[in-house]
Amino acid sequence: MHDFFVYISVILTIIIFIPLYRVVKGPTVFDRMLGAAAIGSKTMVLICIIGVVYGRFDMFIDITLAYAILNFIAFIAVAKYINSLRDDE
């Protein structure tokens, strides 16, 4: 079972590079924001899987919740910044 979670973690890490391409090469700012949000979501799942592998899921779920809150606040802050730039035009 331990090997299964390690393989899933490796596959998930590879899958994280798909939205990373959209963040780097995105034609618009919104594509980049959605790519960054997708990376954040996949990273939260990866942190939970690591918690299962190490047998400390209770500790890693707290880390995941803190990461989710930071991801949400950053997404809202960037959205407000883009909205303020749009209002200046």
Side-chain angles (χ1 to χ4, degrees):
M1 191 68 167
H2 181 269
D3 292 337
F4 173 74
F5 284 118
V6 171
Y7 293 140
I8 294 297
S9 298
V10 170
I11 291 170
L12 190 60
T13 304
I14 293 169
I15 291 174
I16 285 175
F17 285 107
I18 296 169
L20 182 64
Y21 175 78
R22 184 54 46 200
V23 169
V24 173
K25 298 284 185 177
T28 65
V29 175
F30 299 112
D31 289 331
R32 292 180 174 159
M33 285 178 52
L34 288 174
I39 290 171
S41 299
K42 288 172 184 36
T43 304
M44 287 185 278
V45 173
L46 188 63
I47 292 171
C48 286
I49 290 173
I50 291 170
V52 170
V53 169
Y54 283 116
R56 296 291 312 264
F57 186 72
D58 54 344
M59 181 182 75
F60 281 89
I61 196 72
D62 292 339
I63 295 169
T64 303
L65 288 172
Y67 186 80
I69 292 169
L70 284 174
N71 191 23
F72 178 72
I73 290 171
F75 194 78
I76 296 297
V78 170
K80 283 190 174 258
Y81 176 72
I82 290 172
N83 193 23
S84 71
L85 289 178
R86 187 177 286 182
D87 290 341
D88 290 341
E89 292 177 355

